Coordinates of all heavy atoms in Angstrom, one line a residue:
M124 N 1.6 2.0 -6.5 CA 2.8 1.3 -6.0 C 3.9 1.4 -7.0 O 5.1 1.6 -6.6 CB 2.5 -0.1 -5.7 CG 1.7 -0.3 -4.4 SD 1.5 -2.1 -4.1 CE 0.5 -2.1 -2.7
R125 N 3.6 1.3 -8.3 CA 4.7 1.3 -9.3 C 5.4 2.7 -9.3 O 6.6 2.8 -9.5 CB 4.0 1.1 -10.7 CG 4.7 -0.1 -11.4 CD 4.0 -0.5 -12.7 NE 3.4 -1.8 -12.5 CZ 2.2 -2.1 -12.4 NH1 1.2 -1.2 -12.5 NH2 1.8 -3.4 -12.1
E126 N 4.6 3.7 -9.1 CA 5.2 5.1 -9.0 C 6.1 5.2 -7.8 O 7.1 5.8 -7.8 CB 4.1 6.1 -9.0 CG 3.4 6.2 -10.4 CD 2.2 7.2 -10.4 OE1 1.9 7.8 -9.3 OE2 1.6 7.4 -11.4
A127 N 5.7 4.6 -6.7 CA 6.5 4.6 -5.5 C 7.8 3.8 -5.7 O 8.9 4.2 -5.2 CB 5.7 4.0 -4.3
V128 N 7.7 2.7 -6.5 CA 8.9 1.9 -6.8 C 9.9 2.8 -7.7 O 11.1 2.8 -7.4 CB 8.5 0.6 -7.6 CG1 9.7 0.0 -8.3 CG2 7.9 -0.4 -6.7
A129 N 9.3 3.5 -8.6 CA 10.2 4.4 -9.4 C 11.0 5.4 -8.6 O 12.2 5.7 -8.8 CB 9.4 5.1 -10.5
V130 N 10.2 6.0 -7.6 CA 10.9 6.9 -6.7 C 11.9 6.2 -5.8 O 13.0 6.7 -5.6 CB 9.8 7.7 -5.8 CG1 10.4 8.4 -4.7 CG2 8.9 8.6 -6.7
A131 N 11.5 5.1 -5.3 CA 12.5 4.3 -4.4 C 13.7 4.0 -5.2 O 14.8 4.2 -4.7 CB 11.8 3.0 -4.0
N132 N 13.6 3.5 -6.5 CA 14.8 3.2 -7.3 C 15.6 4.5 -7.5 O 16.9 4.4 -7.4 CB 14.4 2.7 -8.6 CG 13.7 1.3 -8.5 OD1 13.1 0.8 -9.5 ND2 13.8 0.6 -7.4
A133 N 15.0 5.6 -7.7 CA 15.8 6.9 -7.8 C 16.5 7.2 -6.5 O 17.5 7.9 -6.6 CB 14.8 8.0 -8.2
E134 N 16.0 6.8 -5.4 CA 16.6 7.0 -4.1 C 17.6 5.8 -3.7 O 18.0 5.7 -2.6 CB 15.5 7.1 -3.0 CG 14.7 8.4 -3.1 CD 15.4 9.6 -2.5 OE1 16.0 9.5 -1.4 OE2 15.5 10.6 -3.3
N135 N 17.9 5.0 -4.7 CA 18.8 3.8 -4.6 C 18.3 2.8 -3.6 O 19.0 2.1 -2.9 CB 20.2 4.3 -4.1 CG 20.9 5.2 -5.1 OD1 20.9 4.9 -6.3 ND2 21.4 6.3 -4.7
I136 N 17.0 2.6 -3.7 CA 16.3 1.5 -2.9 C 15.8 0.5 -3.9 O 15.1 0.8 -4.9 CB 15.1 2.0 -2.1 CG1 15.6 3.1 -1.1 CG2 14.5 0.8 -1.3 CD1 16.6 2.7 -0.1
D137 N 16.2 -0.8 -3.8 CA 15.9 -1.8 -4.8 C 14.6 -2.4 -4.5 O 14.4 -3.5 -3.9 CB 17.0 -2.9 -4.7 CG 16.8 -4.0 -5.7 OD1 16.2 -3.7 -6.8 OD2 17.2 -5.1 -5.4
L138 N 13.5 -1.8 -5.1 CA 12.2 -2.4 -5.1 C 11.9 -2.7 -6.6 O 12.4 -2.1 -7.5 CB 11.1 -1.4 -4.5 CG 11.2 -1.1 -3.0 CD1 10.1 -0.1 -2.6 CD2 11.2 -2.4 -2.2
N139 N 10.9 -3.7 -6.8 CA 10.6 -4.0 -8.1 C 9.2 -4.6 -8.2 O 8.5 -4.6 -7.3 CB 11.6 -5.1 -8.7 CG 11.7 -6.3 -7.8 OD1 10.8 -6.9 -7.5 ND2 13.0 -6.5 -7.3
E140 N 8.8 -5.1 -9.4 CA 7.5 -5.6 -9.7 C 7.1 -6.7 -8.8 O 6.0 -6.9 -8.4 CB 7.4 -6.0 -11.2 CG 6.0 -6.2 -11.7 CD 5.2 -4.9 -11.7 OE1 5.7 -3.8 -11.9 OE2 3.9 -5.0 -11.6
S141 N 8.1 -7.6 -8.4 CA 7.8 -8.7 -7.6 C 7.4 -8.3 -6.2 O 6.6 -8.9 -5.5 CB 8.9 -9.7 -7.5 OG 10.0 -9.2 -6.8
D142 N 7.9 -7.1 -5.7 CA 7.5 -6.6 -4.4 C 6.1 -6.1 -4.5 O 5.3 -6.2 -3.5 CB 8.4 -5.4 -4.1 CG 9.9 -5.8 -3.8 OD1 10.0 -6.8 -3.1 OD2 10.8 -5.2 -4.4
I143 N 5.6 -5.5 -5.6 CA 4.3 -5.1 -5.8 C 3.3 -6.3 -5.7 O 2.4 -6.3 -4.9 CB 4.0 -4.4 -7.1 CG1 4.8 -3.0 -7.1 CG2 2.5 -4.1 -7.4 CD1 4.9 -2.3 -8.4
K144 N 3.7 -7.4 -6.4 CA 2.9 -8.6 -6.3 C 2.8 -9.2 -4.9 O 1.8 -9.6 -4.5 CB 3.5 -9.7 -7.3 CG 2.6 -10.9 -7.3 CD 3.2 -12.0 -8.2 CE 2.4 -13.3 -8.2 NZ 1.6 -13.7 -7.1
H145 N 3.9 -9.2 -4.2 CA 4.0 -9.7 -2.8 C 3.0 -8.8 -2.0 O 2.3 -9.4 -1.2 CB 5.4 -9.6 -2.3 CG 5.5 -9.8 -0.8 ND1 5.4 -11.0 -0.2 CD2 5.8 -8.9 0.2 CE1 5.5 -10.9 1.1 NE2 5.7 -9.6 1.3
C146 N 3.1 -7.5 -2.1 CA 2.2 -6.7 -1.3 C 0.7 -6.9 -1.6 O -0.1 -7.0 -0.7 CB 2.5 -5.2 -1.5 SG 4.1 -4.8 -0.7
I147 N 0.4 -7.0 -2.9 CA -1.0 -7.3 -3.3 C -1.5 -8.6 -2.7 O -2.6 -8.7 -2.2 CB -1.2 -7.2 -4.8 CG1 -0.8 -5.9 -5.4 CG2 -2.5 -7.7 -5.3 CD1 -1.8 -4.8 -5.1
D148 N -0.6 -9.6 -2.8 CA -1.0 -11.0 -2.3 C -1.2 -10.9 -0.8 O -2.1 -11.5 -0.2 CB 0.1 -12.0 -2.6 CG 0.2 -12.4 -4.1 OD1 -0.8 -12.0 -4.8 OD2 1.2 -13.0 -4.5
T149 N -0.3 -10.2 -0.1 CA -0.4 -10.0 1.4 C -1.8 -9.3 1.7 O -2.5 -9.8 2.6 CB 0.7 -9.2 1.9 OG1 1.9 -9.9 1.7 CG2 0.6 -8.9 3.4
L150 N -2.1 -8.2 1.0 CA -3.3 -7.5 1.3 C -4.5 -8.3 1.0 O -5.5 -8.3 1.7 CB -3.3 -6.2 0.5 CG -2.3 -5.1 0.9 CD1 -2.1 -4.1 -0.2 CD2 -2.7 -4.5 2.2
S151 N -4.5 -9.1 -0.1 CA -5.6 -9.9 -0.5 C -5.8 -11.1 0.5 O -6.9 -11.6 0.5 CB -5.3 -10.5 -1.9 OG -5.3 -9.5 -2.8
S152 N -4.8 -11.4 1.3 CA -5.0 -12.5 2.3 C -5.6 -12.0 3.6 O -6.0 -12.9 4.4 CB -3.6 -13.1 2.5 OG -2.8 -12.3 3.3
L153 N -5.7 -10.7 3.8 CA -6.3 -10.2 5.0 C -7.8 -10.4 5.0 O -8.4 -10.6 4.0 CB -5.9 -8.7 5.2 CG -4.4 -8.5 5.3 CD1 -4.1 -7.0 5.4 CD2 -3.8 -9.2 6.6
T154 N -8.4 -10.2 6.2 CA -9.9 -10.3 6.3 C -10.5 -9.4 5.3 O -10.3 -8.2 5.3 CB -10.3 -9.9 7.8 OG1 -9.6 -10.8 8.7 CG2 -11.8 -10.1 8.0
P155 N -11.4 -9.9 4.5 CA -12.0 -9.1 3.4 C -12.7 -7.9 3.9 O -12.8 -6.9 3.2 CB -13.0 -10.1 2.8 CG -12.5 -11.4 3.1 CD -11.8 -11.3 4.4
T156 N -13.3 -7.9 5.1 CA -14.0 -6.7 5.6 C -13.1 -5.8 6.3 O -13.5 -4.7 6.8 CB -15.2 -7.2 6.5 OG1 -14.6 -8.0 7.6 CG2 -16.2 -7.9 5.8
G157 N -11.8 -6.2 6.5 CA -10.8 -5.3 7.1 C -10.6 -4.1 6.3 O -10.8 -4.0 5.1
K158 N -10.1 -3.0 7.0 CA -10.0 -1.7 6.4 C -8.6 -1.1 6.7 O -8.1 -1.3 7.8 CB -11.0 -0.7 7.0 CG -12.4 -1.2 6.7 CD -13.4 -0.3 7.5 CE -14.8 -0.8 7.3 NZ -15.8 0.1 8.0
T159 N -8.0 -0.4 5.7 CA -6.8 0.3 6.0 C -7.0 1.4 7.0 O -8.1 1.9 7.2 CB -6.2 0.9 4.7 OG1 -7.1 1.8 4.2 CG2 -5.9 -0.2 3.6
S160 N -5.9 1.8 7.6 CA -6.0 2.9 8.6 C -6.5 4.2 7.9 O -7.3 4.9 8.5 CB -4.7 3.2 9.2 OG -3.7 3.5 8.3
M161 N -6.2 4.4 6.7 CA -6.6 5.7 6.0 C -8.1 5.6 5.7 O -8.8 6.6 5.9 CB -5.8 5.9 4.7 CG -6.1 7.3 4.2 SD -5.2 7.7 2.7 CE -3.6 8.1 3.3
L162 N -8.6 4.4 5.4 CA -10.1 4.3 5.2 C -10.8 4.5 6.5 O -11.8 5.2 6.5 CB -10.4 2.9 4.6 CG -11.9 2.6 4.6 CD1 -12.7 3.6 3.7 CD2 -12.1 1.2 4.0
Q163 N -10.2 4.0 7.6 CA -10.8 4.2 8.9 C -10.8 5.7 9.2 O -11.8 6.3 9.8 CB -10.1 3.4 10.0 CG -10.3 1.9 9.8 CD -9.6 1.1 10.8 OE1 -9.8 1.3 12.0 NE2 -8.7 0.3 10.4
D164 N -9.8 6.4 8.9 CA -9.7 7.9 9.1 C -10.8 8.6 8.3 O -11.4 9.5 8.8 CB -8.3 8.4 8.7 CG -7.3 8.0 9.7 OD1 -7.6 7.7 10.9 OD2 -6.1 8.0 9.4
V165 N -10.9 8.2 7.0 CA -12.0 8.9 6.2 C -13.4 8.6 6.8 O -14.2 9.6 6.9 CB -11.9 8.3 4.7 CG1 -13.1 8.7 3.9 CG2 -10.6 8.9 4.0
E166 N -13.6 7.4 7.2 CA -14.9 7.1 7.7 C -15.2 7.9 9.0 O -16.3 8.2 9.3 CB -15.1 5.6 8.0 CG -15.2 4.8 6.7 CD -15.3 3.3 6.9 OE1 -14.9 2.8 8.0 OE2 -15.7 2.6 5.9
A167 N -14.1 8.1 9.8 CA -14.3 8.9 11.0 C -14.1 10.4 10.8 O -14.2 11.2 11.7 CB -13.2 8.4 12.0
R168 N -13.9 10.8 9.5 CA -13.8 12.2 9.1 C -12.6 12.8 9.8 O -12.7 14.0 10.3 CB -15.1 12.9 9.4 CG -16.3 12.3 8.6 CD -17.6 12.9 9.0 NE -17.8 14.3 8.4 CZ -18.2 14.6 7.2 NH1 -18.4 13.6 6.4 NH2 -18.3 15.8 6.8
R169 N -11.5 12.1 9.9 CA -10.3 12.6 10.5 C -9.3 12.9 9.3 O -9.4 12.3 8.2 CB -9.6 11.5 11.3 CG -10.3 11.2 12.6 CD -9.5 10.3 13.5 NE -9.2 9.0 12.9 CZ -9.9 7.8 13.2 NH1 -10.8 7.9 14.1 NH2 -9.6 6.7 12.6
K170 N -8.3 13.8 9.6 CA -7.3 14.1 8.6 C -6.5 12.8 8.4 O -6.3 12.0 9.2 CB -6.3 15.1 9.2 CG -5.3 15.6 8.3 CD -4.6 16.9 8.8 CE -3.5 17.3 7.9 NZ -3.7 17.4 6.5
T171 N -6.2 12.6 7.1 CA -5.5 11.3 6.7 C -4.0 11.5 6.6 O -3.5 12.6 6.8 CB -6.0 10.8 5.3 OG1 -5.5 11.8 4.3 CG2 -7.5 10.8 5.3

């Protein structure tokens, strides 16, 4: 995510470390057994 923030900043988009913390907190609050869409694609052997 930090690398994505660096790229966003270079594109004049104001993201920062607090946004990373917010996203991690959001993801950590989801159902523990829940899966990202990309993980579901990998498990189904689909292109990601």
Side-chain angles (χ1 to χ4, degrees):
M124 287 182 182
R125 239 173 243 109
E126 292 177 356
V128 166
V130 168
N132 292 165
E134 290 282 310
N135 296 314
I136 304 298
D137 180 30
L138 294 180
N139 56 56
E140 194 68 28
S141 67
D142 294 312
I143 294 171
K144 182 183 179 331
H145 169 72
C146 286
I147 296 291
D148 290 347
T149 298
L150 292 162
S151 297
S152 72
L153 297 174
T154 304
T156 56
K158 301 172 184 178
T159 62
S160 59
M161 192 179 280
L162 173 56
Q163 293 177 60
D164 289 339
V165 166
E166 290 178 343
R168 302 173 73 81
R169 292 187 296 257
K170 185 164 176 49
T171 71

